[in-house]
Amino acid sequence: MLWAGRMRLGTFGILLMLVHASAACEFGPFPYSVTGIVCRMTKPAALLLNQETAQVIQAAFRNAKFPNITGERSMRLLGKVAYRLTNIQVNDLSIEQSEVELKENDAIHITIKNVTAVFKGTLTYGYAGAWFLQLFHSVDFEIESSIDLQINIKLTCQKDQVATDASDCYLTFHKLTLHLQGDKEPGWLKQLFTDFISFTLKLVLKSEVCNEINFLAQVLANFVLDLAANFVQDKDISVDISLASVPLIKANYLESHHKGLVLYKNYSDVFSDSVFSPSLLTESRMLYFWLSEHILNSLASAAFLDKRLVLTIRGEKLQALFEMEDTEAQRKAVQMIFQGTSYNDSVAKVWSLAHPQISLQPEGTVVKSLVAVEVSIFPPGEEPLMVLYMEKEITVTIQAAYAEKKLILLPLNSRIEFKVFKCTADPSGNDPTVRNFLQTMISVVGIPEVISRIEPALTSLMNSKGLHLFEIRNPEIITKKGYIIVQLDFSFPKHLLLDFLENRL
């Protein structure tokens, strides 16, 4: 039973780490002003996690290494009696009921009712009689148990990170019965050991279970924090998820606040103008994420500095762009640009010339970027030739969604303004054929093509962090002025915590 409390904490371990309390951490007089990311988990999510991890608890019991228990006692006539319980294993574990209650501004209360288990092992005992008679025996035993467990978990903050205190822990025993070799041993032997072995076992369990719960609480905290930190990091770009303010523990939800500063080499990110308020989130969904506009802008800047905003298009993709419609104007423009060179001997390069600017509005995410496009041809036997170069300022509104484990980006209205235009077929730039064609091609095909490349790249990145393991239901991505809200219901992937606990054991 030593690991019973430890594994039971697993039912709430993930929930614990989605909120960060502050006891030792100092926050300014206006802590919400530096909040870039907020996570809110509501009571239905807590209940779901409590139910979904029953298999994890049972697996943990099956794999647990229980400690040997020793003791001794002086008996009249028999002298000193010593015993040792070894090779303890658990069988037939069941949990009748588990409840979670959020005490506002207090703690997370977890009540596990009627945890029943049968412990099996070997009892070795010996006693020295008053007339120097020594007897030593080993018998198999079974211990039937029924226990209630109450854990009151408080949350603290150390070095801007979460720390847990689960020392407020109680065990109530309803049943603890010892059976020796199927009750084949004489009745006096069973009577001799049952009382004081049961007493010793209760003391050991009460101490060890609660100590292990307290220890594993922080282990799980570190596990989830590592998961979160890994999810918001890709190569040299990461996000600071340290605490920004004191969390909220309400009767219906837990809420944590994070700085959300983007970290990239020498890039310095500063944020002190957040519009977050707890009233911006509701309690109707299981999980909420609130992100400031500043984070998206900073991530775009880091991606630009890391030279990720570059796209090369050739072959069939290039052909699909320039042959979007079969018209005389299109054929003329293509002939002027490529000068008869095949698409397989041509390449287009698209890249951002400056940091993209992102603005979150009710209609969607507005992205404004200064983009360069260069088309080069490689005629057989001749030197490469750049036949087209242009710089243009593009403003496009994008709506985002998530369905079937894929990110979906839908471009809406767009605006294109040419800043620089050079074409070898039109040195003067007075022929409207090429420019008009390119204007249409960029808005109708070019922007959707770029976004279609971004969609799978971002989906693949999120899946590499384990997002695809979750069953996400009815996700909504809602943009408002200055911030974005992601709200959803979900099913927890059982094997994620199960694998961790099995490795831990």
Side-chain angles (χ1 to χ4, degrees):
M1 218 29 215
L2 173 62
W3 286 79
R6 172 186 288 188
M7 295 305 109
R8 187 57 232 174
L9 183 65
T11 65
F12 214 57
I14 297 300
L15 176 59
L16 279 181
M17 298 308 105
L18 291 174
V19 67
H20 302 281
S22 174
C25 302
E26 294 292 335
F27 300 110
F30 306 103
Y32 286 159
S33 65
V34 295
T35 296
I37 301 175
V38 177
C39 176
R40 174 178 290 188
M41 178 174 279
T42 60
K43 185 67 175 289
L47 296 175
L48 173 67
L49 292 177
N50 206 41
Q51 296 169 358
E52 290 295 318
T53 53
Q55 296 298 322
V56 174
I57 303 166
Q58 294 181 21
F61 265 93
R62 288 192 298 268
N63 293 301
K65 302 296 183 182
F66 293 94
N68 297 329
I69 298 175
T70 60
E72 63 179 25
R73 185 174 180 179
S74 296
M75 303 290 294
R76 294 182 61 184
L77 301 179
L78 294 176
K80 184 179 292 185
V81 178
Y83 62 88
R84 181 179 179 87
L85 282 71
T86 59
N87 303 320
I88 303 175
Q89 297 179 348
V90 66
N91 296 82
D92 303 323
L93 173 73
S94 67
I95 299 172
E96 182 176 288
Q97 186 178 358
S98 180
E99 299 174 354
V100 176
E101 185 178 6
L102 307 180
K103 292 290 187 179
E104 188 161 340
N105 300 322
D106 181 19
I108 302 167
H109 292 210
I110 305 175
T111 302
I112 302 99
K113 296 183 179 180
N114 196 18
V115 180
T116 61
V118 176
F119 296 89
K120 294 184 178 182
T122 301
L123 168 64
T124 300
Y125 63 93
Y127 49 89
W131 299 279
F132 303 102
L133 175 64
Q134 294 185 350
L135 298 175
F136 300 94
H137 297 278
S138 292
V139 296
D140 293 333
F141 72 86
E142 289 186 354
I143 298 175
E144 297 181 33
S145 66
S146 177
I147 305 170
D148 287 351
L149 179 64
Q150 174 69 52
I151 314 166
N152 302 316
I153 303 171
K154 296 184 180 295
L155 304 170
T156 61
C157 177
Q158 296 178 0
K159 297 181 180 179
D160 291 336
Q161 298 293 344
V162 69
T164 60
D165 180 5
S167 59
D168 190 4
C169 168
Y170 305 92
L171 274 69
T172 303
F173 293 85
H174 300 295
K175 179 181 181 180
L176 199 65
T177 305
L178 175 68
H179 300 282
L180 301 177
Q181 289 190 347
D183 288 338
K184 294 179 181 179
E185 287 293 321
W188 67 268
L189 182 61
K190 178 179 178 182
Q191 181 65 41
L192 172 66
F193 284 103
T194 295
D195 292 339
F196 61 88
I197 286 182
S198 296
F199 176 77
T200 305
L201 188 60
K202 287 180 180 180
L203 292 179
V204 170
L205 290 177
K206 284 183 177 180
S207 173
E208 295 297 329
V209 166
C210 291
N211 287 340
E212 293 295 334
I213 287 175
N214 202 13
F215 168 74
L216 193 60
Q218 191 57 49
V219 172
L220 287 172
N222 295 334
F223 169 65
V224 177
L225 286 172
D226 289 344
L227 282 179
N230 179 61
F231 191 83
V232 293
Q233 179 175 3
D234 182 55
K235 297 180 181 178
D236 291 332
I237 301 175
S238 62
V239 178
D240 178 6
I241 59 172
S242 59
L243 300 181
S245 65
V246 178
L248 298 178
I249 303 180
K250 298 292 186 180
N252 294 323
Y253 65 85
L254 305 172
E255 185 171 283
S256 60
H257 317 98
H258 311 267
K259 295 176 182 177
L261 298 176
V262 173
L263 308 174
Y264 173 74
K265 295 183 178 179
N266 295 327
Y267 174 78
S268 180
D269 193 14
V270 179
F271 183 49
S272 60
D273 193 25
S274 176
V275 298
F276 174 74
S277 168
S279 62
L280 297 177
L281 302 178
T282 65
E283 302 173 21
S284 60
R285 306 298 297 273
M286 295 173 66
L287 189 61
Y288 295 82
F289 293 101
W290 183 96
L291 296 92
S292 72
E293 178 181 282
H294 177 84
I295 284 184
L296 299 184
N297 266 311
S298 298
L299 285 172
S301 295
F304 170 78
L305 294 173
D306 204 41
K307 296 180 171 51
R308 299 192 186 195
L309 305 182
V310 179
L311 178 64
T312 301
I313 307 172
R314 52 169 53 91
E316 294 181 356
K317 288 289 186 180
L318 189 61
Q319 181 178 1
L321 282 177
F322 281 90
E323 295 185 2
M324 60 178 181
E325 56 182 13
D326 188 14
T327 64
E328 182 63 29
Q330 174 261 319
R331 288 191 291 271
K332 181 179 179 181
V334 169
Q335 180 61 34
M336 292 178 65
I337 294 171
F338 290 93
Q339 303 176 19
T341 303
S342 71
Y343 292 110
N344 289 330
D345 295 322
S346 308
V347 62
K349 180 182 177 182
V350 183
W351 71 98
S352 182
L353 292 168
H355 300 190
Q357 300 176 15
I358 296 178
S359 174
L360 295 175
Q361 303 293 335
E363 59 269 21
T365 302
V366 181
V367 181
K368 184 178 181 180
S369 182
L370 182 61
V371 177
V373 177
E374 179 183 282
V375 177
S376 299
I377 60 175
F378 303 85
E382 300 181 24
E383 292 294 320
L385 176 64
M386 185 180 71
V387 294
L388 177 66
Y389 177 82
M390 55 183 174
E391 297 177 4
K392 53 193 183 299
E393 186 177 82
I394 298 178
T395 304
V396 58
T397 301
I398 301 173
Q399 288 186 347
Y402 187 83
E404 298 180 353
K405 301 185 184 298
K406 295 180 181 178
L407 178 67
I408 300 170
L409 302 176
L410 178 63
L412 301 179
N413 56 301
S414 60
R415 185 174 69 253
I416 301 171
E417 180 182 352
F418 285 93
K419 300 294 185 180
V420 176
F421 184 84
K422 298 178 182 179
C423 181
T424 56
D426 180 22
S428 65
N430 295 325
D431 190 335
T433 302
V434 174
R435 185 176 297 218
N436 291 342
F437 165 72
L438 291 174
Q439 180 89 15
T440 303
M441 190 258 313
I442 292 169
S443 60
V444 176
V445 183
I447 293 176
E449 170 64 20
V450 171
I451 290 178
S452 71
R453 299 288 187 94
I454 295 175
E455 281 179 342
L458 291 178
T459 298
S460 177
L461 176 61
M462 291 188 296
N463 287 343
S464 71
K465 308 298 183 179
L467 184 63
H468 65 292
L469 301 176
F470 292 79
E471 291 298 328
I472 297 176
R473 300 190 300 274
N474 303 320
E476 294 181 86
I477 302 176
I478 303 170
T479 54
K480 299 289 185 180
K481 185 174 177 57
Y483 63 90
I484 187 170
I485 296 174
V486 180
Q487 55 189 40
L488 54 94
D489 299 320
F490 70 97
S491 296
F492 184 72
K494 298 177 183 178
H495 62 86
L496 183 65
L497 189 56
L498 177 60
D499 290 346
F500 165 72
L501 292 176
E502 288 184 339
N503 291 333
R504 175 67 181 83
L505 292 171

